[in-house]
Amino acid sequence: MEDRRMQIDWSSIISWTNVFNLIDILIVWLFIYQLLKILKNTKAFNILNGFFIFLLIKIISTLFQLRTVDWIMNNIIQWSVVGAIVIFQPEIRRGLDHLGQQFFAGKRGTGARNPNEKMVRDLVEACEYMGKRRIGALISLQRSQPLNEFAATGIRLDSAISSQLLINIFIPNTPLHDGAVIIQDLQITSAASYLPLSENSEIPKELGTRHRAAVGLSEVTDAITIVVSEETGGISITERGEITRDLSQDELYTILADNFINISDEETNDNFLTNWFNQLTGGGKSDD
Ligand SMILES: Nc1ncnc2c1ncn2[C@@H]1O[C@H](COP(=O)(O)OP(=O)(O)OP(=O)(O)O)[C@@H](O)[C@H]1O
C-alpha cells in the first residue's frame, strides 16, 4: 500500500498536453527574450521599463488590497497597451509587411558575402573620394539594433548602395547632403537623417556637430558610423561611444570588413535568432 503511494506516474507527467505546454512556454520565452534584445538601448526599452514599474505597483496594490491604486494601475495598464499600438504603429506595420513578404513574395537572393564585400568597397571608395575633395559625410551602418527611428527622421531612399550614389548624396548644397545616410540590410534606407548629439565632454573641441552626432548614435545603438570631415577631409569611425580618427583607406576597409564581411560562423550562429527576428520586423541586418 505504502509502496504504491510512493510510485510516480510518469505517463501522466509526460503527456502530449504537457509537451505542448512546454513548447508554448518556450516560444513565449524566446519571443520575449528576442524582443528585449532588440529593444535594448532604444527608446522603446525605456518605455517598456516604465510599463514594468506600473506592473510592479499593480501587483503590490493587489497584494495589499490598495483599491484606489489598483484601479488607477488597471486603467494605466489598459490604456498603455492602446498607447503602445499608436506609438509603435509604423514599426508594427513594417513588421507585418515583412512577415507577409516572407510568406508570399519569397525571399531576396542570398550570396551574402559578395554583397557585403561590395558594400564595404563602395563605402571605402566613396569616403576616399569625398575625403580628398573635403566633402563632409556622415554614414551610419546598422548592426543588430534597428536604426528605423533615425532613418524615419530623414528622406526615404531604399536604394541599392553604390559609391556614386553615396558621393552624390553628400555633394554640398544639394537637398540630401545635410544629415546622415542610414544603411540597413545592404540598402541606403535614408539620407538627411538626424542623429542624436553626444554630450560627452571628452570629445575634442575642434570636432563639431557632425562628429558629435556620430558619437551620439554610437552611444545609444551598436551602429557603426563613418564621418568624413568637411574641414580636414579626415575619415573617422564611431562605435560604442568611441571615436577613431584619421583612418587610412586600409584601416577603414579593415574595420568595416571585420564588422560586415569577416563575421565568424560562431558569431553568425549566435545572432541567428536575432537576425531572423529582425528580418521579420524589418529591423536588423539580414545579410548572413
Ligand atoms: N544631429 C545631426 N544629425 C545628422 N547630421 C548632423 C547633425 N548635426 C550636424 N550634422 C551635419 O553636420 C554638419 C555640420 O557639421 P559641423 O561643421 O558642425 O561638424 P564637424 O564635426 O566640425 O564636421 P566637419 O569637420 O565636417 O566640419 C551639418 O551641416 C549636418 O550635415
Side-chain angles (χ1 to χ4, degrees):
M1 191 68 176
E2 190 71 19
D3 266 7
R4 217 181 281 167
R5 234 183 286 145
M6 298 271 294
Q7 270 176 3
I8 298 168
D9 184 5
W10 288 104
S11 63
S12 72
I13 293 173
I14 310 171
S15 65
W16 280 113
T17 317
N18 284 345
V19 170
F20 284 127
N21 282 343
L22 197 70
I23 292 171
D24 194 24
I25 291 166
L26 273 175
I27 290 171
V28 172
W29 175 83
L30 205 66
F31 182 79
I32 293 173
Y33 174 74
Q34 290 299 324
L35 193 67
L36 289 177
K37 230 170 137 184
I38 291 165
L39 295 182
K40 206 176 158 209
N41 294 330
T42 64
K43 273 184 197 161
F45 193 70
N46 295 335
I47 293 173
L48 209 64
N49 272 343
F51 182 77
F52 280 124
I53 291 171
F54 283 128
L55 206 63
L56 195 70
I57 299 173
K58 152 87 187 138
I59 293 167
I60 293 169
S61 62
T62 309
L63 276 177
F64 292 98
Q65 298 191 339
L66 310 172
R67 283 206 205 134
T68 318
V69 180
D70 196 42
W71 180 82
I72 293 170
M73 287 305 125
N74 275 342
N75 277 293
I76 288 177
I77 290 167
Q78 275 168 27
W79 283 108
S80 62
V81 173
V82 179
I85 292 171
V86 174
I87 293 168
F88 297 112
Q89 188 250 347
E91 282 79 7
I92 294 169
R93 202 179 52 201
R94 218 169 294 137
L96 291 175
D97 188 31
H98 273 251
L99 194 66
Q101 279 176 22
Q102 289 260 329
F103 282 103
F104 299 113
K107 288 178 195 163
R108 219 179 301 161
T110 50
R113 294 214 175 251
N114 288 337
N116 275 356
E117 195 168 337
K118 184 189 173 302
M119 173 183 80
V120 170
R121 283 178 195 280
D122 281 335
L123 284 165
V124 174
E125 204 179 302
C127 292
E128 181 71 4
Y129 181 97
M130 293 189 283
K132 278 186 184 150
R133 290 161 184 79
R134 308 273 160 98
I135 298 171
L138 187 59
I139 305 168
S140 298
L141 295 128
Q142 176 176 284
R143 291 206 289 183
S144 69
Q145 290 168 346
L147 298 182
N148 298 355
E149 62 180 295
F150 306 103
T153 61
I155 295 170
R156 191 109 195 151
L157 294 181
D158 289 330
S159 322
I161 301 169
S162 69
S163 57
Q164 293 86 344
L165 178 58
L166 286 168
I167 294 166
N168 245 70
I169 287 172
F170 289 109
I171 298 287
N173 304 321
T174 53
L176 300 177
H177 88 284
D178 237 352
V181 155
I182 307 264
I183 293 184
Q184 296 176 293
D185 197 14
L186 295 168
Q187 274 206 324
I188 300 177
T189 311
S190 70
S193 289
Y194 183 83
L195 307 183
L197 292 177
S198 168
E199 287 179 9
N200 187 342
S201 56
E202 284 171 21
I203 297 173
K205 291 280 173 287
E206 70 267 22
L207 300 180
T209 49
R210 198 192 310 271
H211 291 84
R212 238 166 223 287
V215 178
L217 184 71
S218 76
E219 288 169 348
V220 292
T221 72
D222 64 354
I224 285 187
T225 300
I226 310 168
V227 190
V228 181
S229 167
E230 197 172 22
E231 261 171 57
T232 65
I235 299 171
S236 309
I237 269 204
T238 61
E239 187 188 0
R240 298 191 196 281
E242 300 281 332
I243 181 161
T244 314
R245 297 171 65 187
D246 296 321
L247 295 166
S248 68
Q249 195 178 347
D250 284 348
E251 287 168 334
L252 177 65
Y253 184 87
T254 306
I255 296 175
L256 294 178
D258 283 348
N259 284 284
F260 297 99
I261 306 174
N262 312 323
I263 303 164
S264 71
D265 288 346
E266 201 180 299
E267 203 177 324
T268 308
N269 287 339
D270 188 40
N271 287 331
F272 170 75
L273 283 170
T274 309
N275 290 341
W276 172 79
F277 192 86
N278 280 339
Q279 273 183 42
L280 233 54
T281 56
K285 69 182 179 190
S286 58
D287 38 353
D288 279 82

